[in-house]
Amino acid sequence: MSAGQLDRGLWKARDDSAEQGDTRRLAHIVEAAAGQVQAGEAVLLGFACDAGVARNQGRVGAAGGPAGIRKFLAGLPAHGLTRLLDAGDVACDGDLLEDAQERLGLRLAELMEQGARPVVLGGGHEIAWGSFQGLARWLQAGGGAGPVLVLNLDAHFDLRTGRPGSSGTPFDQIARHCEERGQALQYACLGVSRLANTPALYARAAEIGAFWVEDRDMQERHLEARLADVDVLLAGAAHVYLTIDLDVLPAAVMPGVSAPAPYGVPLAVIEDIVLRVKASGKLRLADMAEYNPRFDVDGHGARAAARLAWQLLSP
């Protein structure tokens, strides 16, 4: 499915119209994002890409992530949504990652200029460099001034400094982009696994002034403290880009990723952080990365991803 197209084969759900009350599901209200959007309206976009994961020596299959999540989104009840706009997929052809990231950025900037609040489904975490390019274009075109918060919910810093870019480099690419242009940036990574990041990555995080919290301090007993941290980060930002690497969740909840987490951060904690960011009024763009249907078990991971996507898409 290319950008702008709607795959009705994915958007299928049971029909309960014979029952009393509002029985609509997302499959019943989804439309192709072909025209103007309402200010602040969420628009779904896919990034079907495996190139970054392959370059990062990971397990490929995340290119099927957007379709896999859509299938489970389709059956969720609409509740307050009256329509859902789907802008199709930006697909990566082979190893042409930089081209795909640029096209993703262009499409996102276009949607944001129309007033949309995009929610992007990946693809590997190389999505983040493409997503940020879209935000940067929108800001440069008059979207606004002020500091940017890149809030990454992730077991990994993804601050690798080697090139070419991969799913392990996007936040280093973002940091260097902002440094070169004098753009105020705060990078925060919540859910970091000490066993999944080398000392070199911790050093790079410190070098760019990143804020991070390890997974051991991201459990439900820590929720109020973590929400307080998020509030401080939000207070210092004019614009927020939220990116969720689904491998931040425990493997039992999210088996369908390249690098399952043996410890991880509970879904309840991740969801509450997502809702706090969304409620701030500063969220300009969100994405979800690394869902890989090849390694999912009975749709467990897809269901968790769809739940988070629903929270981002709802009014």
Side-chain angles (χ1 to χ4, degrees), residues 7-26:
D7 187 347
R8 287 290 177 184
L10 299 175
W11 291 103
K12 294 181 177 179
R14 63 178 291 159
D15 183 357
D16 291 329
S17 57
E19 303 294 326
Q20 293 183 355
D22 185 356
T23 62
R24 294 168 307 136
R25 301 176 186 272
L26 295 187

Side-chain angles (χ1 to χ4, degrees), residues 71-179:
K71 287 181 181 179
F72 282 87
L73 270 172
L76 299 183
H79 286 293
L81 271 176
T82 57
R83 73 169 181 171
L84 171 61
L85 296 180
D86 187 346
D89 288 347
V90 173
C92 180
D93 184 11
D95 188 52
L96 298 178
L97 174 57
E98 289 74 18
D99 171 73
Q101 289 169 321
E102 182 179 7
R103 286 187 286 113
L104 175 62
L106 288 167
R107 182 65 175 127
L108 286 171
E110 178 185 5
L111 289 170
M112 295 173 73
E113 286 165 12
Q114 294 177 18
R117 177 171 51 85
V119 176
V120 195
L121 307 178
H125 218 171
E126 65 271 16
I127 193 177
W129 177 226
S131 289
F132 186 83
Q133 287 183 54
L135 177 62
R137 286 179 181 275
W138 177 75
L139 291 172
Q140 188 175 13
V148 173
L149 169 63
V150 174
L151 179 55
N152 181 24
L153 307 181
D154 198 343
H156 307 90
F157 282 119
D158 288 340
L159 282 168
R160 295 182 184 275
T161 56
R163 297 296 185 270
S166 72
S167 62
T169 65
F171 302 105
D172 183 68
Q173 291 172 281
I174 291 170
R176 293 182 189 277
H177 173 94
C178 291
E179 182 180 2

Side-chain angles (χ1 to χ4, degrees), residues 40-302:
E41 186 174 16
V43 177
L44 196 65
L45 179 66
F47 185 60
C49 182
D50 270 325
V53 174
R55 291 183 184 183
N56 200 30
Q57 304 175 50
R59 302 189 297 175
V60 298
I69 297 172
R70 280 186 178 97
K71 287 181 181 179
F72 282 87
L73 270 172
L76 299 183
H79 286 293
L81 271 176
T82 57
R83 73 169 181 171
L84 171 61
L85 296 180
D86 187 346
D89 288 347
V90 173
C92 180
D93 184 11
D95 188 52
L96 298 178
L97 174 57
E98 289 74 18
D99 171 73
Q101 289 169 321
E102 182 179 7
R103 286 187 286 113
L104 175 62
L106 288 167
R107 182 65 175 127
L108 286 171
E110 178 185 5
L111 289 170
M112 295 173 73
E113 286 165 12
Q114 294 177 18
R117 177 171 51 85
V119 176
V120 195
L121 307 178
H125 218 171
E126 65 271 16
I127 193 177
W129 177 226
S131 289
F132 186 83
Q133 287 183 54
L135 177 62
R137 286 179 181 275
W138 177 75
L139 291 172
Q140 188 175 13
V148 173
L149 169 63
V150 174
L151 179 55
N152 181 24
L153 307 181
D154 198 343
H156 307 90
F157 282 119
D158 288 340
L159 282 168
R160 295 182 184 275
T161 56
R163 297 296 185 270
S166 72
S167 62
T169 65
F171 302 105
D172 183 68
Q173 291 172 281
I174 291 170
R176 293 182 189 277
H177 173 94
C178 291
E179 182 180 2
E180 291 168 1
R181 290 159 179 79
Q183 169 69 57
L185 171 73
Q186 175 65 68
Y187 174 54
C189 189
L190 306 183
V192 177
S193 169
R194 194 163 188 83
L195 301 183
N197 295 271
T198 63
L201 291 168
Y202 276 91
R204 179 59 179 149
E207 183 179 18
I208 65 170
F211 175 84
W212 69 84
V213 180
E214 292 188 354
D215 52 6
R216 287 176 56 84
D217 296 314
M218 290 284 297
Q219 303 306 300
E220 291 190 58
R221 63 185 179 275
H222 307 116
L223 179 57
E224 290 306 314
R226 297 294 77 83
L227 290 176
D229 290 337
V230 170
D231 286 342
V232 171
L233 291 166
L234 291 170
H239 310 282
V240 180
Y241 161 39
L242 173 66
T243 180
I244 308 169
D245 188 323
L246 293 165
D247 69 20
V248 73
L249 296 166
V253 175
M254 183 54 63
V257 288
S258 177
Y263 192 76
V265 179
L267 178 60
V269 174
I270 296 298
E271 181 171 281
D272 275 7
I273 291 173
V274 167
L275 292 173
R276 184 63 64 97
V277 174
K278 181 181 167 185
S280 72
K282 297 179 178 182
L283 180 62
R284 309 295 177 236
L285 165 68
D287 63 34
M288 297 170 52
E290 298 288 347
Y291 173 65
N292 187 332
R294 292 186 185 179
F295 302 107
D296 204 0
V297 178
D298 195 27
H300 291 340

